[in-house]
Amino acid sequence: MNQFRPKGFIRPLQPELQSIKRAMDTALIFITLYISLHIYGETFSREYLGLFIVCTVLFGIFAEHQEIYHGWRGDPLFDDAVRILLSWIVAFALIASSFFVFDLGFEYSRQVLELWLPLAPLSIIMLHSLRRSTLSYLRMHGLNTRNYAILGGNSLGKRLNAALTEMPWLGYSFVGFFDDRIENKQRRLDEDMVDVIVGDFKELLERAQRGEIDHIYITLPLRAEKRINQLIRELADSTVSVNIVPDFFTFNLMQSKLSSVKGIPVVSVFDTPLNSSLDGSVKRLEDLLLCAIILPIIAIPMLIITIAIKITSPGPVIFKQMRYGVKGEQIEVWKFRSMSVCENGDSIKQATANDSRVTPLGGFLRRTSLDELPQFLNVLSGTMSVVGPRPHAVAHNEYYRKQIQGYMLRHKMKPGITGLAQISGCRGETETIDKMERRIHHDLEYIRQWSVILDLKIVVLTIFKGFVGQQAY
């Protein structure tokens, strides 16, 4: 007989609850619009009703893309707030841009829109914060809680437990680690896990059958497939929720996703974050908007640099070089010429300190990254992005792909003018493999973590720390 104890009354992934969340956010959008109209004495006409409907639909689309309503993901409140704000701003920006493109035959109150723009997302963020605070309070008093155990005394189990422990507001109470290997000397257990194992599988099964455990996370390695199948069959004689945590961390995962093909589960190991047309469109729109802001600012400096190059040294102003773009396809990248030579063959020597090939003006351009400015034209043409892994010469790609595992994965996205590696100090000559490996590490980390927010962060940090560097020769 199961012992009675306070159970959770909310199922995290219950579709009805997600619908209620969407409905409450929609109501807030309506209420904040009505309040804005009332403050400035405007009438709630059918034109404003149409504006509300379109803006709500667009916000819902972008909110779904940002996974705001996808149940528990263990994200901090700040990240949730940023996703809400970003979804609303993009939706509102599309509506505002349509005012200039189309003649709507109606003029909306500018004051109302200026008040509604911040009021709606702030209200939604406050509601989400209140919901989290309420759930946290209930969980602190023993309501809406879950007990969980981890089957597998290994590093993956420790990582999972650490992640759940750092988020007490989730209401997850840890029972302990369970593992049979502490009794079986033939199957080695991590030495630092011996003292934290509270029991073997038999004890775990008994406690699950008594209703003392709600969730069991199996973190055994994939090679223990037969053992895992046996454990799952025995756990079927209980009502516990069983979760398998595959040790995919043995692979260098990049944008991994779980999908299915006619019910057959498929896990991607290497993928691009721009797999969907929406993600690709958002990234392209971001590039075009940044170019619209940056190009007018750099137009005069580019003209001055063009004249200076023409006066100070013979040769073309623009240096064109073949490099690898997305999917490893060759593209032509433009730069201001900074050397007395234009190498573009199978063997290209990297620029070094006091390189005789670098012109006096070219040295200044390279140190300040001003030689990269023509690449904004590459961004406009669609072969590059403002933010992404820096493109390398074809000869360097062919060399390093044989030296560094996963090197070609950096071409899962368009190359960029700046990137995570550049703001992390990985600029200039890579005379050792270690230096190139560090650069590739940041490139792949960028692809794993890609988001519009990360791109904007890199752009801002580039302004302060990415343009100049002692390693840029």
Side-chain angles (χ1 to χ4, degrees), residues 62 65-67 73 75 78-80 82-83 86-87 90 255 257 272-274 278-284 286-287 290 385-389 413 418-420 423 442-460:
F62 291 112
H65 174 256
Q66 294 292 325
E67 301 182 357
R73 296 193 302 158
D75 288 340
F78 177 78
D79 292 352
D80 189 36
V82 170
R83 287 195 297 271
L86 179 64
S87 300
V90 174
Q255 287 295 327
K257 299 178 181 67
T272 171
L274 307 180
L278 179 59
D279 286 325
S281 299
V282 169
K283 178 70 168 171
R284 181 60 178 156
E286 171 199 315
D287 285 335
L290 287 174
S385 182
V386 175
V387 182
M413 293 185 71
T418 185
L420 184 60
I423 64 170
H442 288 292
D443 288 341
L444 299 186
E445 191 63 25
Y446 165 76
I447 297 176
R448 290 188 189 96
Q449 305 295 334
W450 175 82
S451 67
V452 174
I453 296 174
L454 177 59
D455 278 355
L456 297 179
K457 177 181 177 181
I458 291 174
V459 169
V460 172

Side-chain angles (χ1 to χ4, degrees), residues 164-223:
L164 293 172
T165 303
E166 290 173 358
M167 297 178 288
W169 60 85
L170 297 175
Y172 274 33
S173 178
F174 184 48
V175 175
F177 291 98
F178 294 79
D179 203 306
D180 287 341
R181 291 175 292 179
I182 195 170
E183 303 294 338
N184 190 335
K185 303 303 182 182
Q186 294 178 347
R187 289 181 290 169
R188 187 175 180 181
L189 182 70
D190 291 2
E191 294 182 2
D192 59 341
M193 297 293 295
V194 174
D195 295 333
V196 297
I197 302 299
V198 299
D200 57 12
F201 174 71
K202 182 180 179 181
E203 182 176 349
L204 174 63
L205 178 60
E206 291 175 351
R207 297 181 67 170
Q209 290 173 335
R210 292 197 300 265
E212 298 177 8
I213 299 174
D214 298 300
H215 292 273
I216 293 177
Y217 293 92
I218 301 177
T219 61
L220 298 176
L222 292 176
R223 63 179 178 272

Side-chain angles (χ1 to χ4, degrees), residues 235-371:
L235 287 170
D237 188 30
S238 70
T239 59
V240 69
S241 297
V242 180
N243 309 273
I244 296 179
V245 184
D247 58 341
F248 288 135
F249 297 106
T250 56
F251 306 108
N252 187 17
L253 295 183
M254 188 174 69
Q255 287 295 327
S256 59
K257 299 178 181 67
L258 176 64
S259 59
S260 63
V261 180
K262 289 191 175 181
I264 302 173
V266 178
V267 177
S268 61
V269 178
F270 302 138
D271 206 347
T272 171
L274 307 180
N275 218 4
S276 70
S277 57
L278 179 59
D279 286 325
S281 299
V282 169
K283 178 70 168 171
R284 181 60 178 156
L285 178 61
E286 171 199 315
D287 285 335
L288 294 176
L289 290 175
L290 287 174
C291 282
I293 296 172
I294 296 172
L295 279 173
I297 298 174
I298 66 175
I300 294 179
M302 286 181 67
L303 178 60
I304 295 173
I305 293 172
T306 298
I307 297 173
I309 293 175
K310 206 65 179 174
I311 294 175
T312 57
S313 64
V317 172
I318 300 295
F319 166 53
K320 303 177 182 179
Q321 189 178 69
M322 300 305 297
R323 303 191 175 190
Y324 281 180
V326 66
K327 299 181 181 179
E329 298 174 354
Q330 292 194 20
I331 61 172
E332 189 178 71
V333 174
W334 289 16
K335 298 177 66 174
F336 280 125
R337 181 177 57 82
S338 58
M339 291 185 173
S340 57
V341 297
C342 295
E343 296 177 334
N344 193 20
D346 296 332
S347 178
I348 299 177
K349 179 184 177 183
Q350 290 191 24
T352 59
N354 302 316
D355 198 315
S356 59
R357 298 171 300 167
V358 178
T359 64
L361 176 62
F364 168 75
L365 296 178
R366 295 174 73 91
R367 286 192 299 273
T368 57
S369 298
L370 292 175
D371 61 326

